[in-house]
Amino acid sequence: MIKIIDNGVYLLSGQTIVNQKGDVIVSNNTKTAIIQEMNSHTAHQETMAYKILSQHNTSGSTEQLKIRFDSLASHDITYVGIIQTARASGLEQFPVPYVLTNCHNSLCAVGGTINEDDHVFGLSAAQKYGGIFVPAHQAVIHQYVRETMTGCGRMIIGSDSHTRYGALGTMGIGEGGPELVKQLLEKTYDIAYPDIVGVYMQGKPRPGVGPQDVALAIVGAVFEKGIVTNKVLEFVGPGIANLSVDYRNGIDVMTTETTCLSSIWQTDDKVKEYFAIHGRPEAYSKLEPGEVAYYDGMIIVDLDKIEPMIALPFHPSNVYTISDLNENAQDILHIVEEEGKHQIGNPNLKFSLTDKIVNGRLQVDQAIVAGCAGGTFENMVEVAQIINRRSVGNDQLSLSMYPASQPIYLELVKNGAIAKMMSAGAVIKTAFCGPCFGAGDVPAHGGLSIRHTTRNFSNREGSRPGEGQISSVALMDARSIAATARNGGKLTSATEIEYDNPLVPYQFDQGIYTNRVYNGYSLPKKEKELQYGPNIADWPDMIALTDNLILKVAAVIMDSVTTTDELIPSGETSSYRSNPLKLAEFTLSRKEPRYVGRAKQIQSLELERKELLAANGGEFVLSDALRELSQKVLKSDTPTDADIKNLLQTTGIGSVIYAVKPGDGSAREQAASCQKVLGGWANIATEYATKRYRSNLINWGMLPFTVSKEVVFGTDDIIYVSGLKKKIIDSEDLFPAVLITPKGTKEIELKLENITKDQRDIILKGSLINYYTVS
């Protein structure tokens, strides 16, 4: 199904792939004379990504990019913090179109009034600063952007990791909120020029094989190898012409799960038609690679060989074909159980999947099609055709359908698809991202939900292991979900059944948005007051970096990858994302429940240090904890108070998390800011899973250290780094440190690599807010 070439190749005339030696890997009757023109130096400029990045780059350098985006997008668990940060940094009006959607906390089900208070704040901000406000239930963030803001050759940044619009010729990048703040302040997004990896598609999918099947096959093939991390995926090849735009969007949005930076696709008449249907024909232009284009790698996808897939708990890369799972259910599910138990890390909590095998097949409890991946028009139509008024049964299985926007919903009503699904027993709901991150449709304890959404991380569906709750999600395509529902919940591939799939035309009704969406771009009402609810709070003060640093380890996570869901849980915690102090109470709560208490104890030592300095020679009694910490750092059992004060005048105290590879998953800045609010000053890792998480650490003034795998940390270990501030100012990358453990002390080396001058300045100032306020 998938072939990976992990080295440089050339694409000739968009059809033929040859390696750097000139050997043909895939041939499609390209004139062989073109091979003589191959030159990696010039051919790398013939990719679509190179041209778009260059057009948006303001640095004058093709190696270090400073990107200005065409538009911005956020939803209601990120936009309050972004606007609060930008306001504190001098925001006067939105300089580019900025859409605020309300698709994550739209249920307003937790916390009393606070979710709707955020929506009121968002509307007032759109009015004051000149933005676009999409009320709750109108559209999920990415569908609204697809329908109204994309355009060939454009770039969009969003505070959601699934900001992907490549199939519409738009490079989308999902980042933490501070990167959007920079754009609002007319600054730039700074990155080294990324590698470009081609995704060559050939063939045509079989009936019953949907976009999620193709996406999961790709994710499963590349994620663990890490071969596309922070790179751009460029989709090319003759197979693209065999895919509808909805189908392409469904694949494209899942590229986030490969950990790539962004994506872009060649465009054609189908994309042209899409923009025409949506009333924006001027947004189309033809995009394609040049005659000889160089790629840093190539993923070859044989669409006709893709089978219906399932991603079992607890990651979208944990992929099997449905046929393999049905043939080897006991063996496969036993392996997944054992891996899941290790990841959950709670021996008292029973996690079982093998008990769901009935007559050799997996029996599921819940089925959902929703969000930016599942809720597209064609997915919904095909589900309706598969079910077509057949009962989904009156046992435990439930089927919920969430059209991704009101225009899609209206068209499904008009063409009868809604009636077919409702008559079968499906529940039709409004545009909402909740099933994707645990804010709705939480399965029963021990339950298994199959979903056409984007992620199935541990506990992301809303269970609470600390309270004895566990459930799980498997990802599938809408077609096989419908086939499974039609078969009473027995895992069934859509290729196992027969159904009609006529081409159903789509008409977009712009009036829905005209009548309800507030569009104030370029029309700021500066006299408008922001509307604050009682849960909306300013960021606490962030202090500047000290000359030296004492870091105390508050959590050690040895999983191969740590997701942002584990760093700050999703679900009901989203309700508190406008209040940094309240939200911080949930940090690592489902992974390491003792972290918050430890972090607060360490933070209390920093507060005591400040009080000691503020006393300025007056009477002050050191606590036993601060004295003991100072003794360990000074390597003395009997240091004088003067010695301790001398140390603490230039040495800050903060907590640190060690994780092998943190940051996979969401763009949510709170995965970093919550640590900062609790006194965190650094992360230490062998590597970071995504650029966006590392950027979040930097923008909140936290040090993204890396360390060799040989260094072992334990909870409550102490790390002392001297001369830190000077080394950062001097642009040094290596930081000798002392690791103090119960077994003794040892010297270690921390690394701070690939940090720009601006990023160093942000760390020195203590946060992005301080950087812009002081500047």
Side-chain angles (χ1 to χ4, degrees), residues 308 367 506 653:
Y506 177 70
I653 304 169

Side-chain angles (χ1 to χ4, degrees), residues 502-618:
L503 180 64
V504 179
Y506 177 70
Q507 295 297 318
F508 175 73
D509 188 341
Q510 177 64 43
I512 292 175
Y513 293 152
T514 302
N515 293 334
R516 191 70 187 97
V517 172
Y518 175 81
N519 191 338
Y521 172 59
S522 77
L523 299 170
K525 300 176 181 179
K526 297 186 179 181
E527 73 284 356
K528 175 72 179 179
E529 295 292 330
L530 293 174
Q531 302 296 304
Y532 287 91
N535 186 58
I536 298 175
D538 289 330
W539 292 103
D541 290 339
M542 308 283 175
I543 67 169
L545 188 67
T546 52
D547 292 338
N548 316 305
L549 205 54
I550 298 172
L551 298 170
K552 196 168 184 182
V553 179
V556 174
I557 306 172
M558 297 304 296
D559 295 348
S560 57
V561 178
T562 302
T563 68
T564 46
D565 280 84
E566 291 169 313
L567 293 166
I568 182 67
S570 56
E572 84 222 44
T573 59
S574 303
S575 297
Y576 301 98
R577 290 204 173 136
S578 300
N579 191 316
L581 295 175
K582 285 186 178 179
L583 182 63
E585 295 289 333
F586 294 93
T587 311
L588 277 171
S589 59
R590 294 179 188 166
K591 187 65 181 177
E592 176 46 278
R594 292 167 293 182
Y595 166 78
V596 171
R598 291 191 191 118
K600 285 183 174 181
Q601 288 179 345
I602 299 165
Q603 189 176 37
S604 70
L605 299 178
E606 172 64 14
L607 295 174
E608 184 181 352
R609 181 187 78 89
K610 291 180 185 176
E611 291 174 3
L612 172 63
L613 299 181
N616 196 26

Side-chain angles (χ1 to χ4, degrees), residues 709-729:
K709 295 179 181 179
E710 289 72 31
V711 180
V712 178
F713 297 95
T715 303
D716 293 328
D717 283 355
I718 297 164
I719 303 157
Y720 177 58
V721 192
S722 62
L724 175 66
K725 186 173 179 180
K726 184 177 185 303
K727 288 179 182 294
I728 292 175
I729 292 172

Side-chain angles (χ1 to χ4, degrees), residues 283-420:
Y284 175 76
S285 63
K286 188 172 181 60
L287 299 181
E288 59 185 353
E291 281 295 292
V292 180
Y294 178 81
Y295 294 92
D296 298 288
M298 186 68 74
I299 301 164
I300 300 173
V301 181
D302 290 316
L303 293 168
D304 50 350
K305 296 180 181 177
I306 300 291
E307 297 183 45
M309 311 294 289
I310 182 169
L312 290 169
F314 289 110
H315 199 276
S317 65
N318 194 17
V319 174
Y320 298 85
T321 65
I322 292 177
S323 60
D324 280 349
L325 180 56
N326 279 333
E327 290 173 11
N328 305 283
Q330 188 73 37
D331 293 339
I332 290 174
L333 294 178
H334 176 71
I335 292 170
V336 174
E337 279 181 352
E338 293 305 306
E339 292 173 346
K341 290 173 185 176
H342 173 74
Q343 187 171 342
I344 294 166
N346 184 348
N348 299 318
L349 194 62
K350 181 185 177 183
F351 169 60
S352 178
L353 293 174
T354 51
D355 61 1
K356 296 188 176 299
I357 300 173
V358 178
N359 296 325
R361 283 199 174 184
L362 186 65
Q363 181 79 30
V364 303
D365 306 298
Q366 184 191 65
I368 296 172
V369 178
C372 56
T376 61
F377 175 74
E378 289 180 5
N379 284 343
M380 293 283 163
V381 167
E382 207 151 341
V383 168
Q385 290 299 116
I386 292 171
I387 294 178
N388 199 14
R389 305 180 190 273
R390 296 177 178 86
S391 172
V392 300
N394 58 6
D395 207 337
Q396 183 165 332
L397 177 73
S398 63
L399 173 63
S400 296
M401 306 294 295
Y402 291 78
S405 70
Q406 284 291 84
I408 291 175
Y409 201 141
L410 176 60
E411 195 66 13
L412 294 170
V413 170
K414 289 162 64 175
N415 68 25
I418 292 290
K420 291 178 181 179

